[in-house]
Amino acid sequence: HVQLVESGGGSVQAGESLPLSCSDSSGTASDYCMGWFRQAPGKEREAVADIDMYGTRNYADSVKGRFTISRDNGKMYLQMNSLKPEDTAMYYCAKYARDIEFECSPPPSVVTDLGYWGQGTQVTVS
């Protein structure tokens, strides 16, 4: 049974911080890559950060130095600092199989084939 649930979204002012969390009730998260993605209105879904089974992290250039991804088996977190208006989006967590080409950083369209999405949580920065 797969159940990914994001929480922690909300409205903040530019420069403030916000932590997001993702809970996986399946008990199998340790066998997967995990990642955060986001989608703004009228935009395509984009990768934000990912973390593999061994703790190796990858970040989009737009969030590097501001966001931190972490995981503890069935829990995944995204600590967002120094938020900017352009960070406004629906944020989705995902777990997915490691890919020989993309490793744990596939594009969102491939994530759909490799694993599972959460329902999303809204982050608004003004």
Side-chain angles (χ1 to χ4, degrees):
H1 181 256
V2 175
Q3 188 72 264
L4 295 176
V5 180
E6 301 95 336
S7 62
S11 297
V12 299
Q13 293 180 286
E16 295 183 341
S17 298
L18 192 68
L20 303 182
S21 64
C22 176
S23 296
D24 177 9
S25 63
S26 73
T28 64
S30 62
D31 297 324
Y32 290 81
C33 306
M34 298 191 76
W36 287 98
F37 300 76
R38 66 187 182 188
Q39 188 167 19
K43 303 288 187 177
E44 295 184 348
R45 191 168 299 188
E46 64 178 359
V48 175
D50 60 71
I51 182 167
D52 74 2
M53 310 82 164
Y54 310 105
T56 299
R57 296 164 170 83
N58 184 67
Y59 297 93
D61 288 343
S62 60
V63 307
K64 196 171 297 181
R66 299 189 297 120
F67 292 10
T68 302
I69 189 172
S70 60
R71 67 185 292 172
D72 183 13
N73 296 121
K75 291 279 190 176
M76 181 176 63
Y77 307 92
L78 186 69
Q79 178 63 45
M80 303 185 293
N81 297 328
S82 301
L83 282 162
K84 304 175 180 179
E86 51 263 45
D87 295 317
T88 295
M90 185 74 74
Y91 283 70
Y92 299 88
C93 73
K95 72 172 188 179
Y96 44 97
R98 188 181 185 93
D99 184 81
I100 192 166
E101 178 180 1
F102 298 110
E103 298 183 329
C104 282
S105 303
S109 61
V110 176
V111 170
T112 300
D113 295 329
L114 293 174
Y116 310 92
W117 294 102
Q119 85 291 339
T121 187
Q122 179 67 38
V123 174
T124 302
V125 185
S126 61

